[in-house]
Amino acid sequence: MAKKKAKKAKAKSQGNATATKEKTKAADPSAVVFGTGKKGKNIGIAAEVPLDNLHEIKKFNPRSDLGDISQLTASIKKKGLLQPPVVRPKKDKRGNSVDGEYEVLCGYRRKASAIAAGLKAVPVVVRLDMDNDLDALGLAMSENSTDARYALPPLDEAAAFNRMLTGDGDKKNEMSFAEVASACGCSAMKVRKSVPLLDAPREVKRRLAEGTLSKQAAIAVTKLDTKVQKAVLPDLGDRATEREVKELANDFAEAQGVKAGKGKSKRPTPGSSGDKIALRRGMKDVRRMLLLMTSDVVDYEEEGKEEMALRLKHGVAFGLWSIGECEHPDDLDDNSFLEAFGGLVEQVAEMSSEEEEEGEEEEEGEEEEE
């Protein structure tokens, strides 16, 4: 009887000790509280971690420059830090976690702004499933792609894509275009079209970094012969489209009696020549379909059938996205869509003008016969 009482007392004492420990842990703002379930157990939240304990690792930050953080700093001063940085536990040389120390995966601008705002500690999201450095980079890229206001500069984006494609120098970790796209939350065509920017001429890179040349125009220029590149660059403004580049290049090439050509990229694109021919044919078919749809959009808008025009416009956006000419198929206000759609409208207008001219010529011919 006495032994049973002793066991009960011991169990109660241990239970109280565990409860006290849990309360203490919950009361500690730097303690990490993890979720439940298969995914939840790898993601935790710490209410307050000293900024000095958040270590910046350059290879996880796809940005070469944080840019202007004054607006974000002002927002944090007024409202606090609304979106916590994402971190992973820092490890020592033996691979053991260092208590209370973290490596920043996403949120370098937020950390810098929090420091500028005078904060000493911030909440963080802790990830235990980001031991692989390329997974961590993909997470950072994915987060940056969701907010157009803080979009990555094109060259930084291209460099990050290339790091993932090449496995950061390790063949065992090389990724395909589709895998990189999936990790970064974008289309495989965007990855495909961005990477060649790393081989662009110095002048193209400079203007792209300064914002005096659009990404679409820079990609188009990179495909041109060196001589043609030098000829068309001075005539391209900051809003030049891919279509404008092609027109200027063709005009110059025709005047000089040369081919506009394509600049050979040092970064080969996977796929057989048969695959590429099939892809080009498929893209031509899609463009023909998109021109017909755009023509219908124009007609519906002229007739005041806005709802029908809008539905069809979303279809055009998805079609443009599928061939890599626009980046956000669900956002009709996105600049890449507006540029691409504007080009289609211009083509439709040109086709209509040509048809009208042909019709007039036929009428004149009939009058002459009479």
Side-chain angles (χ1 to χ4, degrees):
M1 190 76 177
K3 282 183 180 180
K4 282 185 179 180
K5 284 184 179 180
K7 278 185 180 180
K8 281 184 181 180
K10 188 178 179 181
K12 188 176 181 181
S13 174
Q14 287 176 340
N16 289 337
T18 303
T20 303
K21 191 176 179 181
E22 290 298 321
K23 282 181 183 178
T24 304
K25 188 177 179 181
D28 178 7
S30 65
V32 184
V33 179
F34 288 95
T36 56
K38 196 172 181 180
K39 290 184 178 179
K41 66 180 182 181
N42 288 320
I43 303 175
I45 295 175
E48 203 172 277
V49 174
L51 283 163
D52 290 340
N53 291 12
L54 302 182
H55 303 280
E56 297 184 11
I57 310 297
K58 193 174 180 181
K59 63 184 176 182
F60 296 151
N61 183 10
R63 293 180 184 276
S64 57
D65 183 358
L66 293 179
D68 182 11
I69 61 170
S70 58
Q71 285 188 334
L72 188 52
T73 301
S75 173
I76 290 173
K77 282 181 178 178
K78 187 176 179 181
K79 304 174 184 176
L81 185 62
L82 301 179
Q83 187 178 359
V86 180
V87 301
R88 75 179 185 186
K90 185 182 180 184
K91 295 187 177 180
D92 58 23
K93 291 180 180 179
R94 294 182 179 180
N96 299 317
S97 297
V98 181
D99 192 35
E101 304 280 326
Y102 301 96
E103 293 175 343
V104 180
L105 305 180
C106 312
Y108 283 81
R109 282 172 53 86
R110 276 164 273 163
K111 184 194 170 187
S113 300
I115 292 170
L119 301 185
K120 300 297 180 187
V122 293
V124 296
V125 174
V126 182
R127 296 290 297 259
L128 299 183
D129 55 350
M130 286 290 146
D131 286 338
N132 184 294
D133 290 350
L134 290 178
D135 286 343
L137 179 60
L139 181 69
M141 291 289 289
S142 178
E143 188 181 80
N144 278 288
S145 70
T146 58
D147 195 338
R149 294 172 301 168
Y150 308 118
L152 279 175
L155 290 171
D156 288 349
E157 186 176 61
F161 285 153
N162 192 55
R163 273 184 62 194
M164 298 176 77
L165 287 168
T166 59
D168 209 9
D170 186 347
K171 280 199 168 185
K172 291 183 292 184
N173 292 324
E174 286 181 359
M175 301 171 74
S176 67
F177 288 114
E179 287 169 334
V180 173
S182 177
C184 297
C186 63
S187 69
M189 187 61 77
K190 179 178 180 178
V191 179
R192 233 177 238 276
K193 294 181 83 169
S194 296
V195 174
L197 286 173
L198 298 176
D199 298 322
R202 189 180 300 173
E203 178 66 8
V204 172
K205 288 182 178 179
R206 182 186 67 78
R207 289 189 56 183
L208 195 55
E210 290 174 352
T212 58
L213 187 67
S214 71
K215 180 181 174 182
Q216 284 76 19
I219 290 170
V221 170
T222 303
K223 296 175 182 177
L224 301 175
D225 179 77
T226 305
K227 189 177 179 181
V228 182
Q229 287 176 349
K230 290 178 181 178
V232 303
L233 266 173
D235 295 324
L236 298 175
D238 60 344
R239 293 188 178 181
T241 63
E242 187 175 355
R243 182 180 171 80
E244 286 176 56
V245 174
K246 288 177 181 176
E247 287 175 352
L248 284 169
N250 289 334
D251 289 345
F252 173 81
E254 191 176 337
Q256 296 293 314
V258 296
K259 288 185 177 181
K262 287 188 178 181
K264 289 184 181 179
S265 173
K266 297 173 189 174
R267 305 168 205 278
T269 303
S272 67
S273 57
D275 290 338
K276 291 173 185 174
I277 291 168
L279 179 63
R280 281 198 293 272
R281 285 175 180 165
M283 288 175 72
K284 281 183 180 177
D285 290 340
V286 172
R287 285 200 67 83
R288 286 194 199 99
M289 177 191 71
L290 292 176
L291 280 170
L292 292 172
M293 290 171 71
T294 302
S295 178
D296 288 340
V297 170
V298 173
D299 290 343
Y300 282 137
E301 286 179 342
E302 287 177 355
E303 294 168 11
K305 298 176 181 178
E306 296 297 331
E307 191 176 341
M308 290 293 291
L310 187 61
R311 284 182 187 176
L312 208 52
K313 217 171 187 179
H314 276 290
V316 174
F318 190 84
L320 287 168
W321 173 77
S322 73
I323 59 173
E325 292 195 16
C326 105
E327 293 172 12
H328 301 282
D330 295 322
D331 185 1
L332 298 185
D333 293 323
D334 178 71
N335 287 333
S336 62
F337 167 72
L338 293 173
E339 276 190 17
F341 184 70
L344 289 174
V345 172
E346 285 176 18
Q347 280 183 268
V348 168
E350 286 172 12
M351 287 164 61
S352 299
S353 177
E354 286 171 7
E355 285 173 5
E356 285 176 11
E357 287 175 7
E358 286 174 7
E360 288 172 5
E361 286 174 5
E362 284 177 9
E363 285 177 9
E364 285 173 8
E366 287 172 5
E367 287 174 5
E368 286 174 6
E369 285 176 7
E370 287 174 5

